[in-house]
């Protein structure tokens, strides 16, 4: 069975790629999501849960800057230049993973006061929750598409062909 580049990345260099590209960001993002629910329900803007929420948001946002930068330069650009995408399923999986990091970067920027400085706490809280939701949506799209066999769409309308899997990316 063919794999998407997303799944190949996670399967290569075990266990390190799995930890770097899935374990660490998902633990941080899920910590952010769970503490976000607490903050929303209690409206608590203080205490250890709120501090953990802020810390997780900062760390995962900054972490994703590195992940996106690394994957763009070592995977996305080379794969695109070589024409090695394995159908649109592959593009959706990788693209959704990368796009999913953007709302987390926005959360970090908000926590650092780089955006929404003049916004009231209610507006900031809504944007924070919206960004968490966007990450969850894009992250799940990436995981679902990433687990698909990209050859499911090979030959569709004669325009896309499944490409042989290489381990160079």
């Amino acid at each position: 069975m063919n794999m998407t580049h997303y799944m190949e990345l996670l399967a290569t260099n075990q266990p390190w790629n799995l930890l770097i590209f899935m374990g660490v960001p998902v633990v941080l993002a899920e910590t952010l999501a769970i503490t976000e629910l607490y903050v929303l329900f209690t409206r608590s803007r203080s205490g250890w849960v709120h501090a953990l929420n802020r810390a997780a948001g900062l760390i995962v946002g900054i972490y994703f800057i590195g992940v996106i930068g690394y994957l763009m330069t070592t995977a996305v650009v080379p794969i695109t230049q070589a024409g090695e995408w394995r159908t649109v399923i592959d593009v959706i999986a990788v693209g959704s993973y990368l796009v999913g990091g953007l709302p987390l970067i926005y959360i970090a920027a908000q926590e650092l006061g780089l955006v929404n400085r003049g916004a009231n706490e209610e507006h900031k809280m809504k944007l924070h929750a919206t960004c968490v939701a966007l990450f969850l949506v894009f992250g799940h799209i990436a995981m679902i598409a990433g687990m698909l066999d990209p050859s499911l769409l090979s030959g569709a309308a004669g325009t896309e062909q499944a490409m042989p899997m290489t381990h160079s990316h």
Side-chain angles (χ1 to χ4, degrees):
M1 179 172 106
N2 292 319
M3 277 193 244
T4 60
H5 282 97
Y6 173 92
M7 195 56 64
E8 184 178 338
L9 172 71
L10 298 178
T12 304
N13 192 29
Q14 285 288 324
W16 305 112
N17 282 8
L18 185 62
L19 290 170
I20 293 166
F21 299 107
M22 184 62 73
V24 171
V26 167
V27 166
L28 288 167
E30 293 297 337
T31 300
L32 176 65
I34 291 164
T35 56
E36 189 75 20
L37 291 172
Y38 176 85
V39 169
L40 289 171
F41 284 128
T42 64
R43 299 288 185 192
S44 174
R45 303 297 291 164
S46 62
W48 73 269
V49 176
H50 182 260
L52 180 59
N53 178 267
R54 290 197 64 203
L58 275 168
I59 295 167
V60 76
I62 293 167
Y63 191 87
F64 254 102
I65 291 170
V67 166
I68 291 170
Y70 175 78
L71 290 178
M72 288 299 294
T73 59
T74 63
V76 174
V77 170
I79 290 168
T80 302
Q81 288 175 337
E84 293 181 351
W85 288 107
R86 301 173 185 149
T87 76
V88 71
I89 291 171
D90 195 21
V91 176
I92 291 169
V94 173
S96 295
Y97 178 81
L98 296 172
V99 169
L102 298 178
L104 299 176
I105 293 169
Y106 191 84
I107 286 173
Q110 181 170 291
E111 295 296 351
L112 291 170
L114 301 174
V115 295
N116 304 322
R117 285 186 208 175
N120 65 35
E121 288 303 313
E122 186 73 17
H123 184 70
K124 287 180 183 178
M125 195 179 303
K126 286 178 183 177
L127 286 171
H128 210 269
T130 300
C131 286
V132 169
L134 287 170
F135 163 77
L136 291 172
V137 168
F138 283 109
H140 284 91
I141 291 169
M143 284 189 272
I144 292 165
M147 289 186 259
L148 288 173
D149 179 346
S151 68
L152 288 172
L153 293 182
S154 65
T159 59
E160 298 173 323
Q161 298 294 319
M163 297 177 193
M165 187 173 84
T166 65
H167 294 283
S168 63
H169 301 294

